[in-house]
Amino acid sequence: MRKNFVEELRWRGMLAQIMPGTEELLQKEMVTAYLGTDPTADSLHIGHLCGIMMLRHLQRCGHKPIILVGGATGMIGDPSGKSQERNLLNDETLRHNQECIKQQVAKFLDFESNDPNAAEMVNNYDWMKNFTFLDFAREVGKHITVNYMMAKDSVQQRLNGTARDGLSFTEFTYQLLQGYDFLYLYQHKGVKLQLGGNDQWGNMTTGTELIRRTLGNDVETFALTCPLITKSDGKKFGKTESGNIWLDPKRTTPYRFYQFWLNVSDDDAERYIKIFTSLDKETIDALVEEHKQDPGRRILQKRLAEEVTVMVHSREALDMAIEASNILFGKSTKEALEKLDEQTFLDVFDGVPQFSIDRSELGQPAIELFTTTAAVFPSKREIREFTKSGALSINKEKLTDANAPIDESMLLGGKYLLVQRGKKNYYLVTVK
């Protein structure tokens, strides 16, 4: 008896809509299912994670996941919840983005094994690029009426003025293109189920309808969606003031990634740990209970941040993120600072008061530099007091003499001085 995929999604809060018969099909046989993603960037962000986790659970329940990179559809834009069409990508960029996305998804899915349910990646550009408009009109367009397409919520929202510019013909045909993907994958890969976010429900059911009208009423295909993830305050999940939280460490450092999960609210942590980790129900229920005994310890947030960071990055990246977090709040050393790459270092001290000085200013005594050029202290008397009491550190090393020169040899990475007065007050001096 195979593990029940739908039940797994249900208890995790990852099930929004499901077509009748889907659960029975999944219990009866190994099902090949696909989920589409957009290749407009060379990295996924955490907004994509719920869908990727659906594929992970699918494969663990014995079914075969296919991830479709929308090279063709990504060029024109989907009206579902979007306000603008996308830019066209050239073939080279598309292939680069696809390869980067595959490397990221390979951390969640098994592409390499010889098992019948090994994951696959496909790109709809491969079957759409030589499809002429006349072929499309004849083979796809004739099966779906305009009335059917107009009835979709995503189309109605654009037509009824929620978007300034209405709906272009290109976007209007999007549901047919996505529907054709499903038809193509059914015919060539035996795909019977499409997975996606709940905003895709209209496009997904167009696919099942196109297959039925093209191949006959006895051909059954199915659709299943996950809810769109929000924060408990109703705001969009995964967006911060500095933009998306990406899976690529070059775009979002593992430290910042870890901090994002660590700082979610209690309510969100309880939901997210079910959606974004593979921990089982017993483990999660025990963590939730333990968290409720003493919310101040943030047990849920810490475990959530740990699990997701290891899954997306690595155990080493997690260790570095924790060490970087401790630099601000715990005891730390100059060696710990030197281990950080530049972007992580800047992320850790993002938001602290910053000064910029010219390299020619180096060589001055601390008492001059930190009261005039980089005015960390309002007076020379104060810097003397802090130095005397051992409460002034440069790059985590105590400064014992206020008249000591601050020179090139003290710089971190050849350009930074981290000044700490007392336990919690940091100042970052960048030498240009």
Side-chain angles (χ1 to χ4, degrees):
M1 188 70 178
R2 67 180 74 247
K3 193 175 174 190
N4 188 322
F5 171 60
V6 175
E7 195 44 54
E8 184 75 11
L9 295 187
R10 201 174 271 131
W11 78 259
R12 290 182 181 276
M14 294 172 74
L15 187 64
Q17 297 188 76
I18 179 169
M19 283 179 67
T22 308
E23 194 165 1
E24 293 76 4
L25 175 77
L26 286 155
Q27 286 301 93
K28 189 175 74 180
E29 61 187 69
M30 185 189 89
V31 175
T32 303
Y34 91 96
L35 177 135
T37 191
D38 164 24
T40 47
D42 61 2
S43 174
L44 300 175
H45 53 73
I46 58 174
H48 296 106
L49 266 187
C50 185
I52 303 300
M53 290 304 290
M54 285 171 86
L55 290 178
R56 182 178 173 91
H57 292 307
L58 179 91
Q59 190 171 41
R60 289 182 161 200
C61 290
H63 303 289
K64 181 179 177 72
I66 291 182
I67 184 158
L68 177 143
V69 173
T73 40
M75 286 180 167
I76 62 164
D78 165 15
S80 309
K82 307 287 193 314
S83 58
Q84 288 181 322
E85 290 187 36
R86 301 187 179 119
N87 296 327
L88 264 73
L89 301 172
N90 63 36
D91 198 33
E92 189 185 345
T93 306
L94 206 54
R95 297 295 169 195
H96 166 75
N97 291 358
Q98 178 182 337
E99 200 41 53
C100 293
I101 289 168
K102 183 170 182 179
Q103 285 170 15
Q104 290 180 340
V105 177
K107 293 183 176 178
F108 297 82
L109 303 177
D110 173 15
F111 286 91
E112 301 303 321
S113 76
N114 295 318
D115 296 339
N117 72 328
E120 281 185 52
M121 178 175 268
V122 295
N123 188 333
N124 62 10
Y125 185 66
D126 293 335
W127 57 84
M128 293 304 299
K129 63 185 174 191
N130 297 320
F131 204 7
T132 69
F133 182 75
L134 290 175
D135 289 338
F136 187 78
R138 190 177 59 209
E139 293 178 32
V140 181
K142 74 172 187 184
H143 291 293
I144 300 290
T145 65
V146 169
N147 309 45
Y148 179 87
M149 294 168 71
M150 292 284 284
K152 299 291 180 184
D153 284 345
S154 57
V155 173
Q156 284 298 317
Q157 283 166 11
R158 291 296 292 269
L159 288 175
N160 293 335
T162 49
R164 264 198 328 240
D165 304 324
L167 181 70
S168 71
F169 173 75
T170 313
E171 290 181 290
F172 182 55
T173 55
Y174 186 93
Q175 57 178 293
L176 293 183
L177 291 167
Q178 189 169 328
Y180 182 73
D181 286 341
F182 201 171
L183 172 62
Y184 182 92
L185 289 172
Y186 174 82
Q187 291 175 311
H188 293 84
K189 298 278 184 187
V191 171
K192 291 185 181 178
L193 172 64
Q194 185 180 172
L195 308 175
N198 207 30
D199 60 338
Q200 293 294 313
W201 181 255
N203 294 340
M204 291 160 76
T205 50
T206 297
T208 60
E209 187 65 10
L210 177 65
I211 291 168
R212 188 182 67 77
R213 293 187 187 187
T214 306
L215 303 176
N217 289 337
D218 54 337
V219 175
E220 286 195 298
T221 49
F222 301 88
L224 180 160
T225 61
C226 63
L228 295 179
I229 312 301
T230 56
K231 294 196 283 193
S232 51
D233 60 9
K235 289 186 180 153
K236 196 168 180 182
F237 164 76
K239 288 272 190 187
T240 65
E241 285 173 22
S242 54
N244 283 321
I245 302 292
W246 298 91
L247 306 195
D248 183 338
K250 292 193 288 295
R251 286 172 174 254
T252 301
T253 60
Y255 164 77
R256 195 181 278 275
F257 185 86
Y258 173 78
Q259 285 291 324
F260 171 84
W261 300 100
L262 199 60
N263 289 314
V264 300
S265 70
D266 288 354
D267 288 346
D268 286 341
E270 194 173 325
R271 282 191 308 131
Y272 295 169
I273 202 163
K274 294 174 186 169
I275 296 168
F276 299 111
T277 78
S278 297
L279 296 173
D280 60 38
K281 192 171 189 307
E282 291 70 29
T283 305
I284 290 175
D285 288 346
L287 284 165
V288 169
E289 207 40 56
E290 195 183 347
H291 181 89
K292 283 178 177 164
Q293 304 301 320
D294 185 2
R297 287 172 60 204
R298 298 179 76 74
I299 284 165
L300 273 180
Q301 284 92 336
K302 285 175 182 169
R303 187 63 184 274
L304 169 67
E306 177 187 322
E307 293 286 329
V308 186
T309 305
V310 169
M311 190 164 53
V312 170
H313 296 295
S314 65
R315 176 66 58 183
E316 294 72 34
L318 170 72
D319 292 342
M320 196 182 85
I322 292 172
E323 196 167 317
S325 305
N326 290 338
I327 288 169
L328 266 183
F329 306 112
K331 289 185 173 166
S332 193
T333 61
K334 186 177 183 184
E335 287 68 44
L337 283 179
E338 285 171 334
K339 271 193 216 165
L340 302 180
D341 63 83
E342 185 177 20
Q343 191 52 57
T344 302
F345 175 77
L346 293 174
D347 281 351
V348 170
F349 296 101
D350 182 32
V352 309
Q354 304 209 3
F355 298 94
S356 186
I357 68 170
D358 197 83
R359 204 161 283 272
S360 62
E361 307 272 7
L362 291 172
Q364 293 183 66
I367 196 163
E368 296 293 339
L369 187 68
F370 297 132
T371 55
T372 53
T373 321
V376 171
F377 292 90
S379 69
K380 292 181 178 179
R381 181 181 60 78
E382 194 170 316
I383 189 171
R384 282 195 197 98
E385 285 172 3
F386 270 82
T387 311
K388 210 172 186 179
S389 62
L392 171 59
S393 297
I394 309 290
N395 301 336
K396 290 289 179 184
E397 293 185 331
K398 287 210 183 324
L399 190 72
T400 52
D401 178 7
N403 291 303
I406 304 298
D407 59 28
E408 191 98 22
S409 68
M410 300 173 80
L411 299 180
L412 276 176
K415 64 196 254 196
Y416 299 109
L417 290 166
L418 182 68
V419 184
Q420 185 178 358
R421 18 177 315 200
K423 279 188 178 173
K424 293 183 178 171
N425 295 315
Y426 288 97
Y427 303 82
L428 184 60
V429 180
T430 304
V431 179
K432 296 270 169 74

